[in-house]
Amino acid sequence: MTTSLADHLRALPDESLAALLQLRPDLVVPVPADVSALALRAQSRVSVARALDGLDQFTLQILDAARLTRGPDGTTSTDQILAMATAGPHPPAPTAVRAAVDRLRARFLLYGPEHDLTVVGGVDEVSPYPAGLGRPAAELDARAAALCADPAKLRRALLAAPPSARAVLDRLAGGPPVGTVAPGALEAPATGGEDVLPPDLVNGGTPTGSPIRWLVEHHLLVRMSGGRHGTVELPREVGLVLRRDTGPLGPLRTSPPAVSGPPRETKAVDSAGAGQTMEVVRHTEALLEALVVEPAPVLRSGGVGVRDLRRLARVLGLDEPTTALIFEVAYAAGLTGELELTGAATTRYGGDQQIAPTGGYEVWRAASLAQRWEQLARAWLAMTRQVGLVGQRDDRDRPISVLSAEAERAGAPAARRAVLAVLADLPQATAPTPDEVLALLDWRAPRRARGRETAHRDVLTEAARLGVTGLGALTSYGRLLLAELTDADERGDDPLGLRSDAESGDPSTAVRALDGLLPAPVDHVLVQADLSVVVPGPPDPALAAELDVVAEHESAGGASVHRVTTASIRRALDAGYTADDLHALFRRRSRTPVPQGLTYLVDDVSRRHGGLRVGSAGGYVRSDDEALLSEVQADRRLESLAFRRLAPTVLVTPYQVNRMLLALRDAGYAPVPEDATGATVLSRPKNRRAPARTPLTGRAVDPLATPKLPMPRLLGVVEQIRRGEAAARAARRAPAVVRGGPAATGPTPVTGHGDALAVLQQAVRDKALVWVGYVDAHGATASRLVRPVSIGAGYLRAEDDRTEMLHTFALHRITAAVLEE
């Protein structure tokens, strides 16, 4: 006899019920009131769809076998499922079939004993066509049912079908079994929600000679009524006959498809990935420095414009898709943010916000190379952005820009984790092709992978650009990072992803592994005779900051090259360095003798530096060198400043100081500003920073997923459900008058307040159980079976026998009292 799912759940021990909640965590959000509510939720369409999304192709096919073998009473058995699954030309091992049945029973998509299994009702709602087969002929049409009831007649009808009609049958037999055509104009396919028959299969010339018409007239297809378009469906019995060569369930694969490519050398994979991590960090830093110089304005419609993306791509020397990826990842990592504009700046930039580096950029830049990469990689794994959409057109035919809302995809984190999980499950250093990765994803979770091929290919491309993979294989440090995130999700100790591993101060295993692959940071340089500065490895943060000031960057790689120029020395002097400081810096940092040419260059530029003094008077220029002022006044490149000589040592201009400084420096002079007292003003320009933002850490990677709870907490949830079940059962036992209805049988209830008080006082003396009806704080009528302990000060204190908890009731809220039999 078939029992309900709620009865099966009630019979489970607490550990088994907690195991179900662990496999289907959505069942506890929110916590069900009792077992009946849990069973109702477990059979709902949404919860069943979530459970099916996590199943592999073979397990889904075994579930279809259970649905196809159900009898009139709606039940099946493991033996029936096994018989159907092994009916094809390449039958799977019986142990694999039984293991799939066990997986379905563990998730309660199938429940009951092996000889009396029931499929939960929500499965048919989520997937109306098991194994891609249509409904039984008896449910579609009486004439089709009569044809299918005679196997010999059915085979003759199939053999008599013309080639064009047989092609339609073969197409529908592969699933789904329905198609729509426009009645009276069969050559024009409809555009409905169901699969539309292709024109070459639908069009048979004239309507009277159409293969669809022939199939309908011979009852091999059933035309369904509905809508503007005609719908045809292939009866299940016809589909099963057409699948005689592949089996009723189609080809069965008990294990994922194999990867053809041989494993690569682990060292080569890690080396390639580590080299790419250095490039990613360098490009990210270059992007942020470019935003320091010129922040990117935010469009009024949101995002950063195509013009600014192209400008940044030119600065980085990268293509636009890679630049967009770095831009998005830097934003997700909290390194950039929105900077509010005020005053005239809003008119200049056409908006009131800019994207600029945040204060977190300085902290990130001071970290080690591996830690900087880890922050970027974690942000990429967690961000809900599909960067591959940037540059494409949206539904309104407008280009999708960087950081715009149109590129937001809630399922992006889950897609990244799914692709990387496929690579992580392969032998180390195995490099599958993108098509092989898609095939593996389609087998592991076909419902999730369907229609997301482009997003999964984008993940592979982005992982390679970020150094998560190398030579097409998952790197060892990438594998460790993924394992850390997976372990954190399974533990469930930080379901919202609020805690970062960096807070402990200890580097993660992924950082330590990457540190071992990267060259050690260097604190020295090699200064060459041609004034080039070679850094034989990644510079430490202090050296990198000094090089940014005193030299121009020329090339990057394992050993980066910089060059000392007149402009760079002038920039260092403007920042506050003196000639002695620069000489000491090069002597301290260089492992080679400092070239004489560099010493002369520093002395020459510093000697000229500050020879001119600039102040505000409109603007003025003064110098003790009268010949130098004469040269400036006669310089045709400076005619626009309209210099006028006030004294032998002073020139004035109507223009502001900043414009005059730029013009003099562009003309090759080296002026310095001074304040009202004549003191030199030397300082680095202040860089505005956007407000700090919290970086994504990689935890809580799927906004659509339910956080997983550890087993101890799940056992606590089970205990709460059991208490709710006991309360519901007790409430059903309560007398009708206590629940607010008329009395039926049993003890006569006392409803008057005085009489109820007398009953409660007697129960206190006898320590007896009593049903108490009362009005709660929300005005609802409730009842509870309690053992009164005391009455006083207007309150009843009583113990709930079921929970052993003490409750307090206001006497004026008690409506009835009935002694328990």
Side-chain angles (χ1 to χ4, degrees), residues 582-606:
L582 294 176
H583 289 314
L585 185 151
F586 287 118
R587 284 196 303 267
R588 184 178 72 253
R589 292 295 190 182
S590 179
R591 291 291 176 86
T592 58
V594 178
Q596 196 173 39
L598 177 57
T599 303
Y600 289 163
L601 177 64
V602 172
D603 290 340
D604 182 58
V605 175
S606 63

PDB file of all heavy atoms in Angstrom, residues 582-606:
ATOM      1  N   LEU A 582      69.195  61.602  -5.007  1.00  0.00           N
ATOM      2  CA  LEU A 582      69.193  60.732  -6.181  1.00  0.00           C
ATOM      3  C   LEU A 582      70.511  59.979  -6.314  1.00  0.00           C
ATOM      4  O   LEU A 582      70.528  58.788  -6.650  1.00  0.00           O
ATOM      5  CB  LEU A 582      68.912  61.563  -7.433  1.00  0.00           C
ATOM      6  CG  LEU A 582      67.515  62.183  -7.511  1.00  0.00           C
ATOM      7  CD1 LEU A 582      67.389  63.061  -8.746  1.00  0.00           C
ATOM      8  CD2 LEU A 582      66.443  61.093  -7.551  1.00  0.00           C
ATOM      9  N   HIS A 583      71.624  60.659  -6.058  1.00  0.00           N
ATOM     10  CA  HIS A 583      72.911  59.965  -6.106  1.00  0.00           C
ATOM     11  C   HIS A 583      72.936  58.825  -5.083  1.00  0.00           C
ATOM     12  O   HIS A 583      73.390  57.715  -5.386  1.00  0.00           O
ATOM     13  CB  HIS A 583      74.058  60.951  -5.818  1.00  0.00           C
ATOM     14  CG  HIS A 583      74.290  61.924  -6.928  1.00  0.00           C
ATOM     15  ND1 HIS A 583      74.352  61.553  -8.251  1.00  0.00           N
ATOM     16  CD2 HIS A 583      74.485  63.290  -6.908  1.00  0.00           C
ATOM     17  CE1 HIS A 583      74.575  62.619  -9.009  1.00  0.00           C
ATOM     18  NE2 HIS A 583      74.653  63.691  -8.209  1.00  0.00           N
ATOM     19  N   ALA A 584      72.448  59.097  -3.876  1.00  0.00           N
ATOM     20  CA  ALA A 584      72.440  58.067  -2.827  1.00  0.00           C
ATOM     21  C   ALA A 584      71.502  56.917  -3.197  1.00  0.00           C
ATOM     22  O   ALA A 584      71.810  55.743  -2.946  1.00  0.00           O
ATOM     23  CB  ALA A 584      72.028  58.693  -1.492  1.00  0.00           C
ATOM     24  N   LEU A 585      70.359  57.244  -3.813  1.00  0.00           N
ATOM     25  CA  LEU A 585      69.405  56.199  -4.197  1.00  0.00           C
ATOM     26  C   LEU A 585      70.022  55.237  -5.212  1.00  0.00           C
ATOM     27  O   LEU A 585      69.934  54.013  -5.057  1.00  0.00           O
ATOM     28  CB  LEU A 585      68.136  56.846  -4.767  1.00  0.00           C
ATOM     29  CG  LEU A 585      66.972  55.921  -5.122  1.00  0.00           C
ATOM     30  CD1 LEU A 585      65.651  56.677  -4.973  1.00  0.00           C
ATOM     31  CD2 LEU A 585      67.058  55.398  -6.548  1.00  0.00           C
ATOM     32  N   PHE A 586      70.654  55.774  -6.258  1.00  0.00           N
ATOM     33  CA  PHE A 586      71.242  54.908  -7.280  1.00  0.00           C
ATOM     34  C   PHE A 586      72.415  54.107  -6.712  1.00  0.00           C
ATOM     35  O   PHE A 586      72.612  52.942  -7.071  1.00  0.00           O
ATOM     36  CB  PHE A 586      71.682  55.741  -8.485  1.00  0.00           C
ATOM     37  CG  PHE A 586      70.531  56.234  -9.319  1.00  0.00           C
ATOM     38  CD1 PHE A 586      70.289  57.593  -9.468  1.00  0.00           C
ATOM     39  CD2 PHE A 586      69.681  55.350  -9.939  1.00  0.00           C
ATOM     40  CE1 PHE A 586      69.227  58.054 -10.235  1.00  0.00           C
ATOM     41  CE2 PHE A 586      68.612  55.799 -10.705  1.00  0.00           C
ATOM     42  CZ  PHE A 586      68.381  57.156 -10.851  1.00  0.00           C
ATOM     43  N   ARG A 587      73.206  54.709  -5.825  1.00  0.00           N
ATOM     44  CA  ARG A 587      74.313  53.955  -5.231  1.00  0.00           C
ATOM     45  C   ARG A 587      73.775  52.820  -4.356  1.00  0.00           C
ATOM     46  O   ARG A 587      74.327  51.716  -4.350  1.00  0.00           O
ATOM     47  CB  ARG A 587      75.194  54.900  -4.394  1.00  0.00           C
ATOM     48  CG  ARG A 587      76.116  55.797  -5.197  1.00  0.00           C
ATOM     49  CD  ARG A 587      77.208  56.399  -4.311  1.00  0.00           C
ATOM     50  NE  ARG A 587      76.638  57.147  -3.195  1.00  0.00           N
ATOM     51  CZ  ARG A 587      76.395  58.457  -3.245  1.00  0.00           C
ATOM     52  NH1 ARG A 587      76.648  59.155  -4.342  1.00  0.00           N
ATOM     53  NH2 ARG A 587      75.894  59.077  -2.186  1.00  0.00           N
ATOM     54  N   ARG A 588      72.685  53.077  -3.623  1.00  0.00           N
ATOM     55  CA  ARG A 588      72.141  52.066  -2.726  1.00  0.00           C
ATOM     56  C   ARG A 588      71.451  50.937  -3.485  1.00  0.00           C
ATOM     57  O   ARG A 588      71.543  49.762  -3.102  1.00  0.00           O
ATOM     58  CB  ARG A 588      71.146  52.731  -1.765  1.00  0.00           C
ATOM     59  CG  ARG A 588      70.583  51.798  -0.701  1.00  0.00           C
ATOM     60  CD  ARG A 588      69.656  52.517   0.251  1.00  0.00           C
ATOM     61  NE  ARG A 588      68.374  52.863  -0.381  1.00  0.00           N
ATOM     62  CZ  ARG A 588      68.017  54.087  -0.726  1.00  0.00           C
ATOM     63  NH1 ARG A 588      68.844  55.107  -0.547  1.00  0.00           N
ATOM     64  NH2 ARG A 588      66.842  54.322  -1.285  1.00  0.00           N
ATOM     65  N   ARG A 589      70.756  51.251  -4.551  1.00  0.00           N
ATOM     66  CA  ARG A 589      69.951  50.255  -5.255  1.00  0.00           C
ATOM     67  C   ARG A 589      70.717  49.513  -6.350  1.00  0.00           C
ATOM     68  O   ARG A 589      70.363  48.392  -6.687  1.00  0.00           O
ATOM     69  CB  ARG A 589      68.730  50.939  -5.890  1.00  0.00           C
ATOM     70  CG  ARG A 589      67.714  51.472  -4.893  1.00  0.00           C
ATOM     71  CD  ARG A 589      67.063  50.362  -4.103  1.00  0.00           C
ATOM     72  NE  ARG A 589      65.920  50.831  -3.309  1.00  0.00           N
ATOM     73  CZ  ARG A 589      65.199  50.055  -2.507  1.00  0.00           C
ATOM     74  NH1 ARG A 589      65.527  48.766  -2.377  1.00  0.00           N
ATOM     75  NH2 ARG A 589      64.190  50.540  -1.813  1.00  0.00           N
ATOM     76  N   SER A 590      71.744  50.101  -6.909  1.00  0.00           N
ATOM     77  CA  SER A 590      72.407  49.494  -8.071  1.00  0.00           C
ATOM     78  C   SER A 590      73.489  48.513  -7.634  1.00  0.00           C
ATOM     79  O   SER A 590      74.338  48.845  -6.783  1.00  0.00           O
ATOM     80  CB  SER A 590      73.007  50.577  -8.966  1.00  0.00           C
ATOM     81  OG  SER A 590      73.662  49.979 -10.068  1.00  0.00           O
ATOM     82  N   ARG A 591      73.462  47.310  -8.218  1.00  0.00           N
ATOM     83  CA  ARG A 591      74.511  46.330  -7.984  1.00  0.00           C
ATOM     84  C   ARG A 591      75.681  46.524  -8.949  1.00  0.00           C
ATOM     85  O   ARG A 591      76.701  45.854  -8.812  1.00  0.00           O
ATOM     86  CB  ARG A 591      73.939  44.921  -8.147  1.00  0.00           C
ATOM     87  CG  ARG A 591      72.960  44.534  -7.062  1.00  0.00           C
ATOM     88  CD  ARG A 591      73.670  44.353  -5.718  1.00  0.00           C
ATOM     89  NE  ARG A 591      72.724  44.070  -4.640  1.00  0.00           N
ATOM     90  CZ  ARG A 591      72.292  42.846  -4.341  1.00  0.00           C
ATOM     91  NH1 ARG A 591      72.713  41.801  -5.055  1.00  0.00           N
ATOM     92  NH2 ARG A 591      71.446  42.663  -3.346  1.00  0.00           N
ATOM     93  N   THR A 592      75.508  47.379  -9.919  1.00  0.00           N
ATOM     94  CA  THR A 592      76.594  47.725 -10.844  1.00  0.00           C
ATOM     95  C   THR A 592      77.047  49.145 -10.545  1.00  0.00           C
ATOM     96  O   THR A 592      76.285  49.950  -9.984  1.00  0.00           O
ATOM     97  CB  THR A 592      76.110  47.626 -12.302  1.00  0.00           C
ATOM     98  OG1 THR A 592      75.001  48.492 -12.482  1.00  0.00           O
ATOM     99  CG2 THR A 592      75.701  46.197 -12.648  1.00  0.00           C
ATOM    100  N   PRO A 593      78.289  49.495 -10.919  1.00  0.00           N
ATOM    101  CA  PRO A 593      78.738  50.871 -10.693  1.00  0.00           C
ATOM    102  C   PRO A 593      77.839  51.865 -11.404  1.00  0.00           C
ATOM    103  O   PRO A 593      77.384  51.631 -12.535  1.00  0.00           O
ATOM    104  CB  PRO A 593      80.161  50.875 -11.274  1.00  0.00           C
ATOM    105  CG  PRO A 593      80.591  49.449 -11.248  1.00  0.00           C
ATOM    106  CD  PRO A 593      79.357  48.638 -11.483  1.00  0.00           C
ATOM    107  N   VAL A 594      77.544  52.960 -10.732  1.00  0.00           N
ATOM    108  CA  VAL A 594      76.677  53.977 -11.329  1.00  0.00           C
ATOM    109  C   VAL A 594      77.441  54.641 -12.473  1.00  0.00           C
ATOM    110  O   VAL A 594      78.543  55.172 -12.270  1.00  0.00           O
ATOM    111  CB  VAL A 594      76.261  55.026 -10.285  1.00  0.00           C
ATOM    112  CG1 VAL A 594      75.399  56.110 -10.926  1.00  0.00           C
ATOM    113  CG2 VAL A 594      75.513  54.357  -9.131  1.00  0.00           C
ATOM    114  N   PRO A 595      76.889  54.632 -13.694  1.00  0.00           N
ATOM    115  CA  PRO A 595      77.599  55.238 -14.831  1.00  0.00           C
ATOM    116  C   PRO A 595      77.828  56.731 -14.605  1.00  0.00           C
ATOM    117  O   PRO A 595      77.019  57.434 -13.997  1.00  0.00           O
ATOM    118  CB  PRO A 595      76.652  54.988 -16.012  1.00  0.00           C
ATOM    119  CG  PRO A 595      75.755  53.891 -15.565  1.00  0.00           C
ATOM    120  CD  PRO A 595      75.615  54.030 -14.093  1.00  0.00           C
ATOM    121  N   GLN A 596      78.936  57.195 -15.147  1.00  0.00           N
ATOM    122  CA  GLN A 596      79.265  58.612 -15.000  1.00  0.00           C
ATOM    123  C   GLN A 596      78.232  59.487 -15.698  1.00  0.00           C
ATOM    124  O   GLN A 596      77.902  60.585 -15.249  1.00  0.00           O
ATOM    125  CB  GLN A 596      80.666  58.872 -15.569  1.00  0.00           C
ATOM    126  CG  GLN A 596      81.275  60.203 -15.144  1.00  0.00           C
ATOM    127  CD  GLN A 596      82.706  60.325 -15.586  1.00  0.00           C
ATOM    128  OE1 GLN A 596      83.056  59.901 -16.694  1.00  0.00           O
ATOM    129  NE2 GLN A 596      83.552  60.896 -14.737  1.00  0.00           N
ATOM    130  N   GLY A 597      77.679  58.960 -16.800  1.00  0.00           N
ATOM    131  CA  GLY A 597      76.678  59.728 -17.520  1.00  0.00           C
ATOM    132  C   GLY A 597      75.447  60.002 -16.685  1.00  0.00           C
ATOM    133  O   GLY A 597      74.822  61.062 -16.789  1.00  0.00           O
ATOM    134  N   LEU A 598      75.061  59.033 -15.835  1.00  0.00           N
ATOM    135  CA  LEU A 598      73.906  59.240 -14.965  1.00  0.00           C
ATOM    136  C   LEU A 598      74.209  60.303 -13.917  1.00  0.00           C
ATOM    137  O   LEU A 598      73.364  61.156 -13.611  1.00  0.00           O
ATOM    138  CB  LEU A 598      73.521  57.916 -14.298  1.00  0.00           C
ATOM    139  CG  LEU A 598      72.359  57.968 -13.296  1.00  0.00           C
ATOM    140  CD1 LEU A 598      71.102  58.518 -13.960  1.00  0.00           C
ATOM    141  CD2 LEU A 598      72.086  56.590 -12.712  1.00  0.00           C
ATOM    142  N   THR A 599      75.429  60.265 -13.371  1.00  0.00           N
ATOM    143  CA  THR A 599      75.802  61.286 -12.386  1.00  0.00           C
ATOM    144  C   THR A 599      75.755  62.678 -13.008  1.00  0.00           C
ATOM    145  O   THR A 599      75.230  63.631 -12.416  1.00  0.00           O
ATOM    146  CB  THR A 599      77.199  60.989 -11.851  1.00  0.00           C
ATOM    147  OG1 THR A 599      77.224  59.668 -11.286  1.00  0.00           O
ATOM    148  CG2 THR A 599      77.602  62.008 -10.788  1.00  0.00           C
ATOM    149  N   TYR A 600      76.320  62.797 -14.240  1.00  0.00           N
ATOM    150  CA  TYR A 600      76.291  64.100 -14.914  1.00  0.00           C
ATOM    151  C   TYR A 600      74.863  64.550 -15.193  1.00  0.00           C
ATOM    152  O   TYR A 600      74.529  65.738 -15.068  1.00  0.00           O
ATOM    153  CB  TYR A 600      77.075  64.026 -16.220  1.00  0.00           C
ATOM    154  CG  TYR A 600      78.577  63.917 -16.031  1.00  0.00           C
ATOM    155  CD1 TYR A 600      79.395  63.482 -17.074  1.00  0.00           C
ATOM    156  CD2 TYR A 600      79.186  64.270 -14.829  1.00  0.00           C
ATOM    157  CE1 TYR A 600      80.777  63.386 -16.921  1.00  0.00           C
ATOM    158  CE2 TYR A 600      80.558  64.175 -14.658  1.00  0.00           C
ATOM    159  CZ  TYR A 600      81.351  63.730 -15.703  1.00  0.00           C
ATOM    160  OH  TYR A 600      82.699  63.634 -15.543  1.00  0.00           O
ATOM    161  N   LEU A 601      73.995  63.596 -15.599  1.00  0.00           N
ATOM    162  CA  LEU A 601      72.607  63.955 -15.916  1.00  0.00           C
ATOM    163  C   LEU A 601      71.902  64.497 -14.682  1.00  0.00           C
ATOM    164  O   LEU A 601      71.199  65.526 -14.743  1.00  0.00           O
ATOM    165  CB  LEU A 601      71.859  62.740 -16.473  1.00  0.00           C
ATOM    166  CG  LEU A 601      70.376  62.945 -16.774  1.00  0.00           C
ATOM    167  CD1 LEU A 601      70.194  63.974 -17.883  1.00  0.00           C
ATOM    168  CD2 LEU A 601      69.703  61.629 -17.156  1.00  0.00           C
ATOM    169  N   VAL A 602      72.064  63.821 -13.557  1.00  0.00           N
ATOM    170  CA  VAL A 602      71.422  64.283 -12.329  1.00  0.00           C
ATOM    171  C   VAL A 602      71.929  65.669 -11.952  1.00  0.00           C
ATOM    172  O   VAL A 602      71.150  66.580 -11.620  1.00  0.00           O
ATOM    173  CB  VAL A 602      71.660  63.275 -11.193  1.00  0.00           C
ATOM    174  CG1 VAL A 602      71.160  63.843  -9.851  1.00  0.00           C
ATOM    175  CG2 VAL A 602      70.969  61.952 -11.488  1.00  0.00           C
ATOM    176  N   ASP A 603      73.257  65.863 -12.022  1.00  0.00           N
ATOM    177  CA  ASP A 603      73.810  67.160 -11.638  1.00  0.00           C
ATOM    178  C   ASP A 603      73.345  68.260 -12.585  1.00  0.00           C
ATOM    179  O   ASP A 603      73.019  69.374 -12.150  1.00  0.00           O
ATOM    180  CB  ASP A 603      75.339  67.082 -11.636  1.00  0.00           C
ATOM    181  CG  ASP A 603      75.870  66.229 -10.492  1.00  0.00           C
ATOM    182  OD1 ASP A 603      75.113  66.027  -9.520  1.00  0.00           O
ATOM    183  OD2 ASP A 603      77.012  65.737 -10.586  1.00  0.00           O
ATOM    184  N   ASP A 604      73.304  67.957 -13.888  1.00  0.00           N
ATOM    185  CA  ASP A 604      72.928  68.977 -14.859  1.00  0.00           C
ATOM    186  C   ASP A 604      71.474  69.384 -14.683  1.00  0.00           C
ATOM    187  O   ASP A 604      71.141  70.579 -14.675  1.00  0.00           O
ATOM    188  CB  ASP A 604      73.176  68.441 -16.269  1.00  0.00           C
ATOM    189  CG  ASP A 604      72.859  69.483 -17.334  1.00  0.00           C
ATOM    190  OD1 ASP A 604      73.449  70.574 -17.297  1.00  0.00           O
ATOM    191  OD2 ASP A 604      71.993  69.199 -18.194  1.00  0.00           O
ATOM    192  N   VAL A 605      70.585  68.410 -14.532  1.00  0.00           N
ATOM    193  CA  VAL A 605      69.158  68.730 -14.389  1.00  0.00           C
ATOM    194  C   VAL A 605      68.907  69.442 -13.075  1.00  0.00           C
ATOM    195  O   VAL A 605      68.125  70.409 -13.003  1.00  0.00           O
ATOM    196  CB  VAL A 605      68.303  67.456 -14.508  1.00  0.00           C
ATOM    197  CG1 VAL A 605      66.834  67.756 -14.239  1.00  0.00           C
ATOM    198  CG2 VAL A 605      68.460  66.831 -15.883  1.00  0.00           C
ATOM    199  N   SER A 606      69.573  68.989 -12.009  1.00  0.00           N
ATOM    200  CA  SER A 606      69.352  69.634 -10.704  1.00  0.00           C
ATOM    201  C   SER A 606      69.905  71.054 -10.693  1.00  0.00           C
ATOM    202  O   SER A 606      69.371  71.929  -9.993  1.00  0.00           O
ATOM    203  CB  SER A 606      70.007  68.808  -9.597  1.00  0.00           C
ATOM    204  OG  SER A 606      71.413  68.741  -9.776  1.00  0.00           O
TER     205      SER A 606
END
